[in-house]
Amino acid sequence: MDFRPGGAWRFVLRGPDGNDYGFRGVYREIEPPEQIVQTFEFEGMPGHVSVETATLEERDGKTKLTVTCLYSSVEARDGHYNSGMEAGMRESHDRLAELLSAMK
């Protein structure tokens, strides 16, 4: 992870089936602490790149995270959604919340 505009990131998730799933992208904009804009690509479907904007805002001592994804087409969006990504994102965010809670 090269956390700077123009820097690349990559991570690999190991699924319950034992398979590895790679994801990658490039940071386009970083505006601490409010916003990060990056590309997102699942390595299992090369060439299908979306642009994600993560916005963080403080609300009553907590942080609200909003992520917006921009796809090149409706078909690309639907394919991503139907891939099970919603469950994967939910699990990732739940684990992040557990980690942050433990760091308090």
Side-chain angles (χ1 to χ4, degrees), residues 38-59:
Q38 65 187 28
T39 61
F40 177 92
E41 181 178 15
F42 171 49
E43 292 176 353
M45 295 183 67
H48 295 276
V49 179
S50 61
V51 178
E52 297 182 337
T53 301
T55 304
L56 299 105
E57 58 182 299
E58 183 181 345
R59 288 199 174 171

Side-chain angles (χ1 to χ4, degrees), residues 28-89:
R28 290 187 171 181
E29 299 173 34
I30 300 170
E31 298 177 28
E34 295 96 12
Q35 183 171 279
I36 301 167
V37 179
Q38 65 187 28
T39 61
F40 177 92
E41 181 178 15
F42 171 49
E43 292 176 353
M45 295 183 67
H48 295 276
V49 179
S50 61
V51 178
E52 297 182 337
T53 301
T55 304
L56 299 105
E57 58 182 299
E58 183 181 345
R59 288 199 174 171
D60 301 321
K62 296 182 179 183
T63 302
K64 177 182 178 184
L65 169 64
T66 303
V67 179
T68 304
C69 302
L70 178 63
Y71 294 93
S72 59
S73 68
V74 171
E75 293 80 17
R77 179 204 63 197
D78 291 350
H80 192 187
Y81 181 79
N82 292 326
S83 72
M85 58 77 71
E86 181 181 3
M89 284 299 297

